Amino acid sequence: MKQLRIRTLAGLFVVAGVLSWSGARLWDSVGTLPRVPLAAPIVLAVIAVVLLSTALSLRSRLRAQRERRPGAKGVDPMMAARAVVFGQSSALVAALVAGMYGGAGAFLLEFLDIPGRRDQAIYAGLSVLTGIAVVAAALFLERVCKLPEDDDEDGQAAPAA
């Protein structure tokens, strides 16, 4: 499984933000702007909390297993792989969604004197922040579940001295 690259997530965020900003300008010139739901930052925050709690749980279980504590519950490799896949997919979607709300929020910054649009800009800003929290929690989960690297490039361990 390949590791997520921050460069890919940042690129996805920027492209989605630019497209969303230009789409919001176009949409506003035609009629009304679509609303930023209040539930968006709440849902992203819940996902970030789930990812972070999963990472902390796996980290403590792996540490207990590594230290050979009595009664330590091991980590099923398939469960860890599923957690990493969930984290990676959540990070990709969160980067896309945060970019989308970031672009809409950047457009709404021009209209902060209108109370309805100010609220929408706040919801968009909170969505961007919680999207970044999802990405951070997913990267932490991926780091927790990462296997140690071999010393040799072709997969063979170095001989013990």
Side-chain angles (χ1 to χ4, degrees):
M1 184 178 301
K2 287 192 170 190
Q3 190 172 3
L4 270 179
R5 295 178 185 245
I6 295 176
R7 181 176 43 212
T8 303
L9 296 172
L12 189 60
F13 175 81
V14 169
V15 168
V18 169
L19 289 175
S20 176
W21 176 80
S22 60
R25 290 189 64 79
L26 179 66
W27 199 309
D28 189 55
S29 69
V30 175
T32 62
L33 189 64
R35 300 189 59 87
V36 178
L38 175 61
I42 295 170
V43 169
L44 287 170
V46 167
I47 293 171
V49 167
V50 167
L51 286 171
L52 185 61
S53 64
T54 302
L56 292 174
S57 171
L58 286 174
R59 184 177 73 166
S60 68
R61 288 172 59 187
L62 286 169
R63 182 176 293 146
Q65 185 179 5
R66 192 173 36 248
E67 293 172 355
R68 300 186 190 276
R69 292 185 193 151
K73 186 176 179 184
V75 176
D76 180 33
M78 283 305 292
M79 189 201 58
R82 287 182 187 122
V84 170
V85 169
F86 172 63
Q88 287 182 346
S89 60
S90 296
L92 289 169
V93 170
L96 182 67
V97 169
M100 182 185 76
Y101 286 129
F107 172 74
L108 289 169
L109 288 177
E110 300 173 19
F111 305 102
L112 289 179
D113 54 335
I114 303 170
R117 293 221 174 170
R118 183 176 344 123
D119 292 343
Q120 295 297 303
I122 291 170
Y123 298 157
L126 289 174
S127 296
V128 170
L129 291 176
T130 53
I132 292 169
V134 169
V135 170
L139 291 174
F140 178 62
L141 174 63
E142 187 178 56
R143 183 175 170 265
V144 164
C145 293
K146 185 176 179 184
L147 294 174
E149 296 289 328
D150 287 334
D151 293 334
D152 211 350
E153 287 296 318
D154 51 332
Q156 297 174 356

